[in-house]
Amino acid sequence: MAFVAFFISKFTLPIHLILLSLSISSSALNVTEILSAHPDLSDFARLLSSSPVAADLAGRSSVTLLAVPNAELRRSSAGIPLSSASVVADVLRYHILLRYLSWPELRRLPSSGELVTTLYQTTGRAADGLGAVNLTISTSTGAVTVKTPAPFSPSPNATVLAPIAAVPYNLSILAVDSLLVPYGADLAASEGGVAAPPQSEAVNVTRILAEIGKGFNVVASMLAASGVAEEFGEDERGAGITVFAPADAAFAGLPPATDGLQSLPAEEKAAVLRFHVLHSYYPLGSLESIVNPVQPTLQTERAGAGRFTLNITRVNGSVAIDTGIVQATITQTVFDENPVAIFGVSNVLLPKEFFGSPSVAAKPAANVEVEAPMAPVMSPEDGSVEIPPSPGLGGVGSDGSDGRRGRWTDAIICIGLCLLV
Protein backbone atom coordinates (compact mmCIF):
# COMPACT_ATOMS: atom_id res chain seq x y z
CA MET A 1 0.00 0.00 0.00
CA ALA A 2 2.89 2.33 0.73
CA PHE A 3 4.14 1.66 -2.81
CA VAL A 4 0.74 2.63 -4.27
CA ALA A 5 0.58 5.71 -2.05
CA PHE A 6 4.01 6.73 -3.34
CA PHE A 7 2.83 6.59 -6.93
CA ILE A 8 -0.39 8.44 -6.12
CA SER A 9 1.59 11.28 -4.56
CA LYS A 10 4.24 11.15 -7.25
CA PHE A 11 1.93 11.17 -10.23
CA THR A 12 -1.05 13.22 -9.05
CA LEU A 13 -1.56 16.06 -11.49
CA PRO A 14 -1.47 19.55 -9.92
CA ILE A 15 -4.91 21.04 -9.44
CA HIS A 16 -4.38 23.86 -11.91
CA LEU A 17 -3.37 21.41 -14.64
CA ILE A 18 -6.45 19.27 -13.98
CA LEU A 19 -8.72 22.30 -14.28
CA LEU A 20 -6.93 23.32 -17.45
CA SER A 21 -7.30 19.89 -19.01
CA LEU A 22 -10.99 19.76 -18.10
CA SER A 23 -11.58 22.87 -20.18
CA ILE A 24 -10.07 21.33 -23.31
CA SER A 25 -12.38 19.67 -25.79
CA SER A 26 -11.82 16.03 -26.71
CA SER A 27 -10.71 16.93 -30.23
CA ALA A 28 -7.83 19.02 -28.86
CA LEU A 29 -6.48 16.70 -26.17
CA ASN A 30 -2.68 16.66 -26.19
CA VAL A 31 -1.73 13.53 -24.29
CA THR A 32 2.02 14.07 -24.55
CA GLU A 33 1.60 17.56 -23.08
CA ILE A 34 -0.26 16.13 -20.09
CA LEU A 35 2.44 13.47 -19.66
CA SER A 36 5.17 16.13 -19.80
CA ALA A 37 4.15 17.21 -16.29
CA HIS A 38 5.49 13.86 -15.04
CA PRO A 39 9.27 13.38 -15.49
CA ASP A 40 8.97 9.73 -14.45
CA LEU A 41 6.90 9.12 -17.60
CA SER A 42 9.27 10.93 -19.99
CA ASP A 43 10.46 7.78 -21.80
CA PHE A 44 6.93 6.59 -22.45
CA ALA A 45 5.91 10.09 -23.56
CA ARG A 46 8.87 10.19 -25.96
CA LEU A 47 7.86 6.86 -27.52
CA LEU A 48 4.31 8.10 -27.90
CA SER A 49 5.21 11.46 -29.45
CA SER A 50 7.59 9.85 -31.97
CA SER A 51 4.90 7.49 -33.25
CA PRO A 52 1.70 8.13 -35.24
CA VAL A 53 -0.30 6.95 -32.22
CA ALA A 54 -0.14 10.39 -30.55
CA ALA A 55 -1.95 11.92 -33.53
CA ASP A 56 -4.55 9.13 -33.38
CA LEU A 57 -5.24 9.98 -29.76
CA ALA A 58 -5.70 13.70 -30.44
CA GLY A 59 -8.94 13.07 -32.32
CA ARG A 60 -10.42 10.47 -29.99
CA SER A 61 -12.62 10.51 -26.94
CA SER A 62 -13.56 7.98 -24.26
CA VAL A 63 -10.17 6.26 -24.02
CA THR A 64 -7.87 5.08 -21.23
CA LEU A 65 -4.08 5.25 -21.62
CA LEU A 66 -1.89 2.83 -19.66
CA ALA A 67 1.42 4.66 -19.18
CA VAL A 68 4.60 2.90 -18.00
CA PRO A 69 7.04 4.83 -15.71
CA ASN A 70 10.69 5.05 -16.82
CA ALA A 71 12.16 2.40 -14.51
CA GLU A 72 9.44 -0.13 -15.25
CA LEU A 73 9.64 0.62 -18.98
CA ARG A 74 13.39 -0.04 -19.12
CA ARG A 75 13.04 -3.25 -17.11
CA SER A 76 10.08 -4.73 -18.99
CA SER A 77 11.30 -3.75 -22.47
CA ALA A 78 14.75 -5.31 -22.06
CA GLY A 79 13.82 -8.36 -24.14
CA ILE A 80 11.56 -6.57 -26.59
CA PRO A 81 13.12 -5.13 -29.79
CA LEU A 82 11.52 -1.69 -29.95
CA SER A 83 13.78 -0.45 -32.74
CA SER A 84 11.07 -1.00 -35.37
CA ALA A 85 8.67 1.90 -35.72
CA SER A 86 5.81 -0.45 -36.60
CA VAL A 87 6.43 -2.58 -33.48
CA VAL A 88 6.54 0.49 -31.24
CA ALA A 89 3.27 1.76 -32.70
CA ASP A 90 1.47 -1.56 -32.23
CA VAL A 91 2.75 -2.00 -28.68
CA LEU A 92 1.60 1.53 -27.81
CA ARG A 93 -1.79 0.91 -29.40
CA TYR A 94 -2.16 -2.05 -27.05
CA HIS A 95 -1.85 0.41 -24.15
CA ILE A 96 -4.86 2.45 -25.32
CA LEU A 97 -8.18 1.07 -24.13
CA LEU A 98 -11.21 2.14 -26.14
CA ARG A 99 -13.20 2.98 -23.05
CA TYR A 100 -12.98 5.64 -20.36
CA LEU A 101 -12.11 3.95 -17.06
CA SER A 102 -11.72 6.05 -13.95
CA TRP A 103 -9.91 4.90 -10.80
CA PRO A 104 -13.19 4.29 -8.89
CA GLU A 105 -14.55 2.25 -11.80
CA LEU A 106 -11.52 -0.02 -11.68
CA ARG A 107 -12.26 -0.74 -8.02
CA ARG A 108 -15.75 -1.93 -9.04
CA LEU A 109 -14.62 -4.51 -11.61
CA PRO A 110 -16.48 -7.82 -11.39
CA SER A 111 -14.58 -10.68 -9.79
CA SER A 112 -14.73 -12.57 -13.08
CA GLY A 113 -12.82 -9.78 -14.83
CA GLU A 114 -13.70 -7.82 -17.95
CA LEU A 115 -12.43 -7.68 -21.53
CA VAL A 116 -11.75 -4.20 -22.93
CA THR A 117 -10.88 -3.60 -26.59
CA THR A 118 -7.67 -1.72 -27.39
CA LEU A 119 -6.65 0.47 -30.30
CA TYR A 120 -4.48 -2.41 -31.55
CA GLN A 121 -7.65 -4.37 -32.39
CA THR A 122 -8.57 -1.75 -35.02
CA THR A 123 -5.41 -2.42 -37.07
CA GLY A 124 -6.65 -5.81 -38.24
CA ARG A 125 -3.36 -7.39 -37.13
CA ALA A 126 -4.62 -8.75 -33.80
CA ALA A 127 -4.10 -12.51 -33.82
CA ASP A 128 -7.46 -14.32 -33.68
CA GLY A 129 -9.14 -11.10 -32.60
CA LEU A 130 -7.07 -10.93 -29.40
CA GLY A 131 -6.66 -7.18 -29.54
CA ALA A 132 -8.21 -6.79 -26.10
CA VAL A 133 -6.93 -6.85 -22.53
CA ASN A 134 -8.44 -8.65 -19.58
CA LEU A 135 -8.86 -6.53 -16.43
CA THR A 136 -9.16 -8.42 -13.15
CA ILE A 137 -9.19 -7.34 -9.52
CA SER A 138 -7.87 -9.28 -6.55
CA THR A 139 -10.51 -9.83 -3.87
CA SER A 140 -7.81 -9.98 -1.19
CA THR A 141 -5.49 -7.09 -2.10
CA GLY A 142 -7.64 -5.00 -4.44
CA ALA A 143 -4.84 -4.91 -7.04
CA VAL A 144 -6.01 -4.51 -10.64
CA THR A 145 -4.15 -6.66 -13.19
CA VAL A 146 -4.01 -6.11 -16.95
CA LYS A 147 -3.16 -9.11 -19.14
CA THR A 148 -3.74 -10.58 -22.56
CA PRO A 149 -6.81 -12.83 -22.81
CA ALA A 150 -4.80 -15.46 -24.71
CA PRO A 151 -4.33 -18.63 -22.61
CA PHE A 152 -0.76 -19.67 -21.80
CA SER A 153 0.60 -16.44 -23.28
CA PRO A 154 4.24 -15.58 -22.52
CA SER A 155 3.39 -11.89 -22.56
CA PRO A 156 3.87 -10.25 -19.13
CA ASN A 157 0.98 -8.98 -17.03
CA ALA A 158 0.85 -5.45 -15.66
CA THR A 159 -0.53 -4.07 -12.40
CA VAL A 160 -2.26 -0.70 -12.25
CA LEU A 161 -0.29 1.52 -9.89
CA ALA A 162 -2.18 4.79 -9.67
CA PRO A 163 -4.27 7.34 -11.57
CA ILE A 164 -2.27 10.01 -13.41
CA ALA A 165 -4.91 12.32 -14.90
CA ALA A 166 -8.55 12.29 -15.92
CA VAL A 167 -10.62 14.41 -18.30
CA PRO A 168 -14.15 12.98 -17.81
CA TYR A 169 -15.34 11.29 -19.90
CA ASN A 170 -12.76 11.64 -22.64
CA LEU A 171 -9.37 10.61 -21.30
CA SER A 172 -8.10 8.65 -18.33
CA ILE A 173 -4.36 8.02 -17.78
CA LEU A 174 -3.28 5.23 -15.43
CA ALA A 175 0.25 4.17 -14.45
CA VAL A 176 1.08 0.46 -14.86
CA ASP A 177 4.18 -1.41 -13.74
CA SER A 178 5.04 -3.22 -16.98
CA LEU A 179 4.99 -2.85 -20.74
CA LEU A 180 2.20 -4.85 -22.35
CA VAL A 181 2.78 -6.82 -25.53
CA PRO A 182 -0.14 -7.91 -27.72
CA TYR A 183 -0.35 -11.65 -28.21
CA GLY A 184 1.03 -12.76 -31.59
CA ALA A 185 2.54 -9.37 -32.47
CA ASP A 186 5.41 -9.59 -34.98
CA LEU A 187 8.22 -8.32 -32.75
CA ALA A 188 10.81 -9.32 -35.36
CA ALA A 189 9.49 -6.92 -37.95
CA SER A 190 12.08 -5.00 -39.94
CA GLU A 191 12.81 -1.32 -39.48
CA GLY A 192 10.54 -0.46 -42.36
CA GLY A 193 7.79 -2.51 -40.81
CA VAL A 194 5.44 -4.92 -42.46
CA ALA A 195 3.26 -3.33 -45.07
CA ALA A 196 -0.14 -2.72 -43.59
CA PRO A 197 -2.91 -4.73 -45.19
CA PRO A 198 -5.17 -2.75 -47.48
CA GLN A 199 -8.04 -1.19 -45.63
CA SER A 200 -11.28 -3.00 -46.27
CA GLU A 201 -14.18 -1.16 -47.80
CA ALA A 202 -16.34 0.60 -45.23
CA VAL A 203 -19.47 -1.22 -44.16
CA ASN A 204 -22.54 0.23 -45.87
CA VAL A 205 -24.78 0.77 -42.86
CA THR A 206 -27.76 2.04 -44.87
CA ARG A 207 -27.62 -0.98 -47.19
CA ILE A 208 -27.53 -3.35 -44.22
CA LEU A 209 -30.53 -1.63 -42.63
CA ALA A 210 -32.45 -1.75 -45.90
CA GLU A 211 -31.56 -5.33 -46.91
CA ILE A 212 -30.67 -7.32 -43.79
CA GLY A 213 -32.73 -5.50 -41.20
CA LYS A 214 -36.50 -5.48 -41.54
CA GLY A 215 -38.53 -2.44 -40.62
CA PHE A 216 -35.65 0.09 -40.54
CA ASN A 217 -36.45 2.00 -43.73
CA VAL A 218 -37.00 5.39 -42.06
CA VAL A 219 -33.64 5.55 -40.27
CA ALA A 220 -31.85 4.15 -43.35
CA SER A 221 -33.28 6.88 -45.59
CA MET A 222 -32.52 9.58 -43.01
CA LEU A 223 -28.89 8.46 -42.66
CA ALA A 224 -28.46 8.50 -46.43
CA ALA A 225 -30.25 11.82 -47.03
CA SER A 226 -28.42 13.64 -44.22
CA GLY A 227 -24.95 12.48 -45.29
CA VAL A 228 -24.25 11.12 -41.79
CA ALA A 229 -23.75 7.60 -43.19
CA GLU A 230 -20.83 8.91 -45.25
CA GLU A 231 -19.05 9.92 -42.02
CA PHE A 232 -18.94 6.32 -40.77
CA GLY A 233 -16.08 5.15 -43.00
CA GLU A 234 -13.31 6.96 -41.12
CA ASP A 235 -14.78 6.01 -37.74
CA GLU A 236 -14.95 2.33 -38.73
CA ARG A 237 -11.26 2.30 -39.59
CA GLY A 238 -10.52 3.72 -36.15
CA ALA A 239 -12.17 2.32 -33.04
CA GLY A 240 -15.22 1.15 -34.94
CA ILE A 241 -18.83 2.21 -34.43
CA THR A 242 -21.98 0.99 -32.70
CA VAL A 243 -25.26 2.10 -34.30
CA PHE A 244 -28.61 2.15 -32.48
CA ALA A 245 -31.27 2.01 -35.20
CA PRO A 246 -34.89 2.84 -34.24
CA ALA A 247 -37.49 0.68 -35.98
CA ASP A 248 -40.04 2.28 -38.30
CA ALA A 249 -42.69 1.80 -35.62
CA ALA A 250 -40.59 3.90 -33.22
CA PHE A 251 -40.78 6.88 -35.58
CA ALA A 252 -44.52 6.36 -36.06
CA GLY A 253 -45.01 6.30 -32.29
CA LEU A 254 -43.27 9.60 -31.52
CA PRO A 255 -45.33 11.75 -29.12
CA PRO A 256 -46.93 14.94 -30.49
CA ALA A 257 -44.30 17.12 -28.82
CA THR A 258 -41.65 15.65 -31.14
CA ASP A 259 -43.63 15.75 -34.37
CA GLY A 260 -41.17 18.40 -35.51
CA LEU A 261 -38.27 15.90 -35.72
CA GLN A 262 -38.59 15.61 -39.48
CA SER A 263 -38.85 19.39 -39.86
CA LEU A 264 -35.67 20.17 -37.88
CA PRO A 265 -32.94 22.10 -39.72
CA ALA A 266 -30.60 19.78 -41.61
CA GLU A 267 -27.70 20.12 -39.16
CA GLU A 268 -29.87 19.47 -36.10
CA LYS A 269 -31.41 16.44 -37.77
CA ALA A 270 -27.89 15.17 -38.50
CA ALA A 271 -26.99 15.77 -34.85
CA VAL A 272 -29.91 13.57 -33.73
CA LEU A 273 -28.69 10.80 -36.05
CA ARG A 274 -25.09 11.06 -34.75
CA PHE A 275 -26.59 10.81 -31.26
CA HIS A 276 -27.55 7.22 -32.19
CA VAL A 277 -23.92 6.19 -32.80
CA LEU A 278 -21.09 5.34 -30.37
CA HIS A 279 -17.54 5.99 -31.54
CA SER A 280 -16.40 2.48 -30.57
CA TYR A 281 -17.28 -1.06 -31.55
CA TYR A 282 -19.35 -2.73 -28.80
CA PRO A 283 -20.73 -6.22 -29.32
CA LEU A 284 -23.84 -7.03 -27.31
CA GLY A 285 -21.86 -8.76 -24.55
CA SER A 286 -19.77 -5.63 -23.98
CA LEU A 287 -22.89 -3.46 -23.72
CA GLU A 288 -24.41 -5.87 -21.22
CA SER A 289 -21.37 -5.65 -18.95
CA ILE A 290 -20.34 -2.06 -19.61
CA VAL A 291 -18.50 -0.49 -16.65
CA ASN A 292 -19.05 3.19 -17.38
CA PRO A 293 -22.74 3.71 -18.24
CA VAL A 294 -22.26 7.26 -19.58
CA GLN A 295 -21.07 6.96 -23.16
CA PRO A 296 -20.21 9.77 -25.60
CA THR A 297 -21.68 9.64 -29.09
CA LEU A 298 -20.46 10.89 -32.45
CA GLN A 299 -22.32 14.13 -31.71
CA THR A 300 -20.42 14.51 -28.42
CA GLU A 301 -17.23 14.99 -30.43
CA ARG A 302 -18.79 17.98 -32.19
CA ALA A 303 -20.65 19.49 -29.23
CA GLY A 304 -18.06 18.96 -26.49
CA ALA A 305 -17.55 16.69 -23.50
CA GLY A 306 -20.59 15.94 -21.38
CA ARG A 307 -23.13 16.78 -24.08
CA PHE A 308 -25.18 14.38 -26.20
CA THR A 309 -24.22 11.38 -24.06
CA LEU A 310 -26.16 8.15 -23.58
CA ASN A 311 -26.62 6.27 -20.32
CA ILE A 312 -26.37 2.53 -21.03
CA THR A 313 -27.36 0.04 -18.34
CA ARG A 314 -28.81 -3.44 -17.96
CA VAL A 315 -32.46 -3.45 -16.85
CA ASN A 316 -34.57 -6.59 -16.40
CA GLY A 317 -32.24 -8.65 -18.54
CA SER A 318 -32.15 -6.15 -21.44
CA VAL A 319 -29.78 -3.36 -22.43
CA ALA A 320 -31.46 -0.03 -21.68
CA ILE A 321 -30.41 3.24 -23.33
CA ASP A 322 -31.46 6.43 -21.55
CA THR A 323 -31.16 9.90 -23.08
CA GLY A 324 -32.48 11.79 -20.06
CA ILE A 325 -35.97 12.14 -21.54
CA VAL A 326 -36.41 8.86 -23.45
CA GLN A 327 -35.53 5.28 -22.57
CA ALA A 328 -35.17 2.59 -25.22
CA THR A 329 -34.14 -1.06 -25.15
CA ILE A 330 -32.18 -3.12 -27.64
CA THR A 331 -34.67 -5.34 -29.44
CA GLN A 332 -32.39 -7.20 -31.87
CA THR A 333 -28.89 -7.49 -33.29
CA VAL A 334 -29.06 -6.43 -36.94
CA PHE A 335 -25.34 -6.75 -37.73
CA ASP A 336 -22.23 -7.52 -35.70
CA GLU A 337 -18.87 -7.85 -37.41
CA ASN A 338 -15.91 -5.96 -35.99
CA PRO A 339 -15.59 -2.99 -36.38
CA VAL A 340 -19.34 -2.35 -36.85
CA ALA A 341 -22.29 -3.33 -34.65
CA ILE A 342 -25.88 -2.36 -35.50
CA PHE A 343 -28.68 -2.90 -32.99
CA GLY A 344 -32.39 -2.30 -33.35
CA VAL A 345 -33.87 -0.17 -30.55
CA SER A 346 -37.45 0.29 -29.40
CA ASN A 347 -37.57 4.11 -29.42
CA VAL A 348 -36.06 7.07 -31.20
CA LEU A 349 -33.24 8.44 -29.00
CA LEU A 350 -34.17 12.08 -28.50
CA PRO A 351 -31.37 14.22 -27.00
CA LYS A 352 -32.35 16.42 -24.10
CA GLU A 353 -30.27 19.19 -25.68
CA PHE A 354 -33.03 19.55 -28.33
CA PHE A 355 -36.13 18.05 -26.73
CA GLY A 356 -35.54 18.51 -23.02
CA SER A 357 -37.85 21.47 -22.26
CA PRO A 358 -39.95 20.90 -19.11
CA SER A 359 -43.58 19.94 -19.61
CA VAL A 360 -46.27 22.51 -18.92
CA ALA A 361 -48.02 21.93 -15.60
CA ALA A 362 -51.76 21.36 -15.67
CA LYS A 363 -53.75 24.52 -14.92
CA PRO A 364 -56.99 24.62 -12.84
CA ALA A 365 -60.25 25.24 -14.67
CA ALA A 366 -61.02 28.92 -15.22
CA ASN A 367 -63.26 30.84 -12.73
CA VAL A 368 -63.44 27.93 -10.32
CA GLU A 369 -62.50 28.57 -6.70
CA VAL A 370 -62.04 25.74 -4.26
CA GLU A 371 -62.33 26.46 -0.54
CA ALA A 372 -60.81 24.23 2.09
CA PRO A 373 -63.40 22.75 4.49
CA MET A 374 -63.77 24.54 7.82
CA ALA A 375 -62.02 22.79 10.66
CA PRO A 376 -63.88 21.97 13.91
CA VAL A 377 -63.31 24.51 16.71
CA MET A 378 -62.69 23.40 20.31
CA SER A 379 -64.67 25.34 22.88
CA PRO A 380 -62.36 26.60 25.65
CA GLU A 381 -65.07 26.38 28.35
CA ASP A 382 -66.27 22.80 28.28
CA GLY A 383 -64.09 21.13 25.69
CA SER A 384 -67.04 20.58 23.35
CA VAL A 385 -66.55 20.78 19.63
CA GLU A 386 -68.36 23.30 17.48
CA ILE A 387 -68.80 22.69 13.76
CA PRO A 388 -68.71 26.13 12.11
CA PRO A 389 -71.52 26.76 9.66
CA SER A 390 -70.66 25.99 6.08
CA PRO A 391 -70.91 28.86 3.61
CA GLY A 392 -74.44 29.10 2.22
CA LEU A 393 -75.81 26.69 4.88
CA GLY A 394 -76.57 29.07 7.72
CA GLY A 395 -73.55 31.34 7.49
CA VAL A 396 -74.58 33.98 5.01
CA GLY A 397 -78.11 33.95 3.69
CA SER A 398 -79.00 34.12 0.08
CA ASP A 399 -80.39 37.57 0.69
CA GLY A 400 -77.17 38.83 2.13
CA SER A 401 -78.18 38.55 5.82
CA ASP A 402 -75.76 37.16 8.34
CA GLY A 403 -78.00 34.25 9.47
CA ARG A 404 -79.35 35.89 12.69
CA ARG A 405 -82.94 35.60 11.43
CA GLY A 406 -82.63 31.83 11.33
CA ARG A 407 -81.27 31.68 14.90
CA TRP A 408 -84.18 33.82 16.30
CA THR A 409 -86.67 31.55 14.58
CA ASP A 410 -85.09 28.49 16.17
CA ALA A 411 -85.21 30.12 19.62
CA ILE A 412 -88.94 31.00 19.37
CA ILE A 413 -89.78 27.43 18.32
CA CYS A 414 -87.87 26.04 21.31
CA ILE A 415 -89.70 28.37 23.77
CA GLY A 416 -93.07 27.33 22.32
CA LEU A 417 -92.30 23.66 22.79
CA CYS A 418 -91.29 24.24 26.42
CA LEU A 419 -94.62 26.04 27.20
CA LEU A 420 -96.63 23.18 25.70
CA VAL A 421 -94.84 20.69 27.91
Side-chain angles (χ1 to χ4, degrees):
M1 294 301 295
F3 185 69
V4 172
F6 166 78
F7 270 95
I8 292 177
S9 61
K10 187 71 173 177
F11 294 133
T12 300
L13 197 64
I15 294 299
H16 70 280
L17 288 178
I18 293 178
L19 295 176
L20 176 62
S21 61
L22 287 173
S23 66
I24 305 175
S25 68
S26 62
S27 60
L29 284 175
N30 189 328
V31 177
T32 54
E33 183 177 344
I34 296 176
L35 292 176
S36 66
H38 306 279
D40 286 333
L41 295 172
S42 59
D43 290 349
F44 188 85
R46 189 159 43 249
L47 282 176
L48 193 63
S49 61
S50 62
S51 75
V53 181
D56 292 343
L57 272 172
R60 289 190 173 277
S61 62
S62 192
V63 298
T64 298
L65 173 65
L66 305 178
V68 187
N70 296 344
E72 283 72 21
L73 181 62
R74 297 182 188 116
R75 174 187 55 79
S76 59
S77 64
I80 303 175
L82 294 177
S83 57
S84 167
S86 61
V87 169
V88 170
D90 279 350
V91 169
L92 290 174
R93 290 185 181 102
Y94 199 57
H95 288 71
I96 299 170
L97 314 186
L98 300 183
R99 186 184 303 177
Y100 175 87
L101 291 171
S102 66
W103 182 257
E105 286 170 330
L106 287 179
R107 317 305 297 174
R108 296 193 298 267
L109 283 171
S111 57
S112 58
E114 184 162 355
L115 287 178
V116 181
T117 304
T118 72
L119 188 60
Y120 177 61
Q121 178 71 49
T122 67
T123 65
R125 295 189 289 277
D128 299 322
L130 295 174
V133 293
N134 189 19
L135 301 177
T136 59
I137 185 168
S138 170
T139 56
S140 57
T141 65
V144 176
T145 301
V146 188
K147 59 184 178 181
T148 174
F152 312 111
S153 172
S155 300
N157 299 339
T159 300
V160 179
L161 299 172
I164 301 300
V167 183
Y169 293 93
N170 290 325
L171 173 67
S172 174
I173 303 179
L174 306 171
V176 294
D177 69 351
S178 179
L179 196 67
L180 295 162
V181 179
Y183 178 77
D186 186 7
L187 299 183
S190 63
E191 180 67 27
V194 179
Q199 292 179 334
S200 58
E201 184 179 353
V203 175
N204 191 326
V205 173
T206 55
R207 181 187 63 78
I208 290 173
L209 289 171
E211 297 179 7
I212 300 179
K214 294 182 179 180
F216 296 97
N217 296 319
V218 175
V219 67
S221 61
M222 289 180 68
L223 285 170
S226 64
V228 171
E230 298 175 2
E231 303 172 9
F232 293 162
E234 182 178 350
D235 296 301
E236 291 173 27
R237 287 187 284 269
I241 59 172
T242 301
V243 180
F244 299 121
D248 292 344
F251 285 96
L254 284 174
T258 58
D259 281 345
L261 175 61
Q262 294 289 355
S263 60
L264 285 176
E267 183 51 40
E268 290 188 8
K269 188 184 297 182
V272 173
L273 293 172
R274 295 188 194 100
F275 185 59
H276 286 70
V277 185
L278 304 183
H279 192 178
S280 286
Y281 164 71
Y282 288 108
L284 185 59
S286 296
L287 291 176
E288 290 175 335
S289 59
I290 200 164
V291 174
N292 177 29
V294 180
Q295 290 292 315
T297 64
L298 291 189
Q299 184 58 24
T300 303
E301 298 180 359
R302 293 173 175 253
R307 304 193 66 211
F308 293 94
T309 58
L310 296 173
N311 193 299
I312 302 175
T313 55
R314 187 173 175 83
V315 177
N316 297 328
S318 301
V319 176
I321 307 165
D322 198 324
T323 72
I325 59 172
V326 172
Q327 187 176 84
T329 56
I330 290 181
T331 57
Q332 68 179 98
T333 300
V334 178
F335 181 86
D336 185 359
E337 289 185 13
N338 194 355
V340 176
I342 305 175
F343 299 103
V345 293
S346 59
N347 291 310
V348 180
L349 304 179
L350 301 174
K352 60 181 179 295
E353 285 80 2
F354 291 162
F355 301 97
S357 57
S359 60
V360 179
K363 296 180 180 180
N367 301 322
V368 175
E369 294 183 2
V370 180
E371 285 192 48
M374 297 292 288
V377 179
M378 184 72 73
S379 172
E381 287 83 5
D382 57 6
S384 61
V385 177
E386 293 184 21
I387 306 297
S390 300
L393 298 177
V396 178
S398 59
D399 60 353
S401 65
D402 60 0
R404 284 177 294 179
R405 180 181 303 173
R407 289 196 292 274
W408 279 110
T409 302
D410 292 342
I412 293 172
I413 292 174
C414 290
I415 293 170
L417 289 174
C418 291
L419 293 174
L420 288 175
V421 174

